């Protein structure tokens, strides 16, 4: 048994901001993927994944009994498959901000949900919001609180534009220019990031009036501008605004940036070789980079392996 593939995602813009209604832009990242599987001779990873699925299945049964109007599952079939050793076979690194739990949630919904909304339907805004609400509740098992966007992205395998909490839509993004010098890339921090503690720090900071003001007047302003610039292919403005965003994150989101990257982050801003930003909640995992000249960025970051996500 091997289920359909579900891909990882990258939130290009909108981390933390979307909690406060900023714009966001999330794109599928097909380099990593996962599928539901059953093996004759499971590995230790498969056994561990199977145990975790068992707990998740009990959580879903509880969710269904509390909110039957939201979503119902073929629980009998799910429990049977888990008893037969089903696990989630995934190359998506966990705690890296690229949506490992999102892909799993999408796979379970796709296989076991009754009356599921499918990608082939006319995806109205109401249907998208309904899916997002379902995925938010399902993924809360892993994070304590989830927007539902990661599973939505993985399930639809389409770029998603977040205009506000209640206004999301699939979107087209400018096609990549393989001959271009510019790129969006990932750097591996080598540290696994935990989402929940980072979100707690952010929520605590929100109690501070100065932080809230900065969020609105700078962080959200530049995030929204970056989304618009990216979608319209305005590369010059995109880099101007990404630089501003990178500065704001370095000044106000320091706990979310692994310490050994503070200097590298600053170096990018000073030299304009590249600009770094958080990928997901931070605290480790991947760091997202933007550069107008990939070769220059590679030379500047020679101690790190850069994974290109998108070419300008």
């Amino acid at each position: 048994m091997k289920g359909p593939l579900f891909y990882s995602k990258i939130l290009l813009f909108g981390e933390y901001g979307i909690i406060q209604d900023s714009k966001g832009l999330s794109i599928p990242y097909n380099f990593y993927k996962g599928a539901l599987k059953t093996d004759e001779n499971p590995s230790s990873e498969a056994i561990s994944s199977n145990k975790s699925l068992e707990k998740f299945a009990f959580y879903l049964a509880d969710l269904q009994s509390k909110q039957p109007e939201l979503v119902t599952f073929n629980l009998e079939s799910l429990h049977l498959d888990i008893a037969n050793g089903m696990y989630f076979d995934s190359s998506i690194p966990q705690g890296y901000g690229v949506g490992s739990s999102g892909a799993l949630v999408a796979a379970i919904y796709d296989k076991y949900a009754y009356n599921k909304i499918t990608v082939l339907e006319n995806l109205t805004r109401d249907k998208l919001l309904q899916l997002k609400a379902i995925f938010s509740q399902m993924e809360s098992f892993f994070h304590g609180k989830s927007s539902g966007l990661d599973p939505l992205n993985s399930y639809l395998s389409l770029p998603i534009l977040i205009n506000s909490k209640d206004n999301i839509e699939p979107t087209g993004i400018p096609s990549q220019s393989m001959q271009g010098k510019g790129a969006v890339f990932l750097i591996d921090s080598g540290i696994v990031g935990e989402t929940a503690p980072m979100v707690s720090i952010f929520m605590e900071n929100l109690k501070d009036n100065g932080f809230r003001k900065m969020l609105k007047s700078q962080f959200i302003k530049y995030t929204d501008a970056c989304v618009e610039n990216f979608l319209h292919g305005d590369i010059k403005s995109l880099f101007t605004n990404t630089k501003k965003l990178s500065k704001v994150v370095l000044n106000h989101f320091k706990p979310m940036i692994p310490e050994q990257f503070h200097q590298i982050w600053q170096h990018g801003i000073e030299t304009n070789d590249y600009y770094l930003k958080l990928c997901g909640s931070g605290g480790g995992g991947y760091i997202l980079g933007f550069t107008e000249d990939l070769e220059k960025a590679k030379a500047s970051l020679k101690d790190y392996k850069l994974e290109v996500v998108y070419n300008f």
Side-chain angles (χ1 to χ4, degrees):
M1 181 182 104
K2 190 170 189 315
L5 291 171
F6 291 91
Y7 296 106
S8 53
K9 68 86 196 94
I10 289 172
L11 186 63
L12 278 186
F13 300 104
E15 71 291 342
Y16 291 108
I18 53 177
I19 299 176
Q20 290 293 300
D21 253 4
S22 79
K23 282 186 185 295
L25 180 64
S26 184
I27 62 169
Y29 183 41
N30 298 356
F31 186 73
Y32 295 119
K33 47 196 164 299
L36 293 166
K37 273 174 84 173
T38 306
D39 286 344
E40 290 292 308
N41 300 304
S43 65
S44 57
E45 283 94 349
I47 292 166
S48 155
S49 166
N50 174 263
K51 291 263 185 296
S52 157
L53 275 182
E54 199 174 358
K55 291 184 188 131
F56 187 39
F58 284 113
Y59 170 83
L60 294 178
D62 188 47
L63 172 64
Q64 175 174 314
S65 69
K66 285 178 179 157
Q67 300 188 52
E69 71 294 336
L70 180 72
V71 63
T72 55
F73 301 96
N74 185 343
L75 293 170
E76 197 179 330
S77 176
L78 174 60
H79 285 302
L80 190 64
D81 287 342
I82 291 169
N84 288 329
M86 181 176 77
Y87 68 100
F88 191 58
D89 181 27
S90 167
S91 66
I92 307 170
Q94 292 190 352
Y96 264 67
V98 285
S100 52
S101 58
L104 167 59
V105 165
I108 294 286
Y109 175 83
D110 179 65
K111 190 165 167 59
Y112 299 101
Y114 285 124
N115 307 317
K116 67 177 185 187
I117 295 166
T118 72
V119 188
L120 303 170
E121 294 173 41
N122 171 21
L123 285 168
T124 61
R125 188 169 292 169
D126 283 352
K127 282 181 185 170
L128 279 175
L129 286 173
Q130 192 186 338
L131 266 177
K132 183 172 172 284
I134 291 166
F135 289 149
S136 164
Q137 289 298 318
M138 287 176 72
E139 199 183 30
S140 292
F141 171 76
F142 301 97
H143 293 318
K145 189 178 190 327
S146 158
S147 67
L149 277 169
D150 286 5
L152 186 66
N153 204 295
S154 189
Y155 184 64
L156 301 176
S157 230
L158 293 166
I160 292 169
L161 170 63
I162 302 114
N163 292 303
S164 66
K165 278 195 191 81
D166 302 325
N167 183 349
I168 53 175
E169 55 185 313
T171 186
I173 57 174
S175 52
Q176 300 197 48
S177 155
M178 289 328 218
Q179 277 70 50
K181 286 167 74 174
V184 182
F185 59 87
L186 294 172
I187 303 178
D188 186 346
S189 71
I191 307 161
V192 173
E194 290 274 339
T195 300
M198 295 296 122
V199 174
S200 296
I201 294 169
F202 177 75
M203 294 317 235
E204 197 52 43
N205 286 346
L206 275 181
K207 294 175 183 170
D208 177 70
N209 195 25
F211 184 83
R212 283 202 309 276
K213 272 192 178 142
M214 173 282 303
L215 207 64
K216 208 176 180 126
S217 66
Q218 296 176 47
F219 188 75
I220 291 177
K221 180 182 159 187
Y222 301 140
T223 296
D224 288 0
C226 285
V227 171
E228 290 298 321
N229 299 157
F230 187 88
L231 290 177
H232 294 118
D234 183 352
I235 305 304
K236 193 172 181 300
S237 302
L238 174 67
F239 280 97
T240 304
N241 286 311
T242 304
K243 180 176 184 174
K244 290 174 181 169
L245 191 56
S246 186
K247 267 188 193 166
V248 170
V249 173
L250 185 60
N251 291 333
H252 300 282
F253 289 79
K254 269 231 168 77
M256 287 76 167
I257 304 171
E259 209 164 304
Q260 65 270 40
F261 282 90
H262 291 182
Q263 217 170 342
I264 298 161
W265 203 288
Q266 182 67 40
H267 180 74
I269 294 165
E270 284 169 6
T271 59
N272 297 316
D273 287 354
Y274 56 85
Y275 306 124
L276 300 180
K277 64 184 292 297
L278 297 172
C279 179
S281 56
Y286 283 119
I287 289 167
L288 205 48
F290 286 72
T291 180
E292 289 185 86
D293 187 333
L294 185 59
E295 291 315 309
K296 216 184 235 183
K298 278 181 177 168
S300 215
L301 294 161
K302 61 182 187 306
D303 299 338
Y304 298 90
K305 189 175 149 286
L306 273 51
E307 262 179 52
V308 175
V309 173
Y310 186 93
N311 292 91
F312 291 113

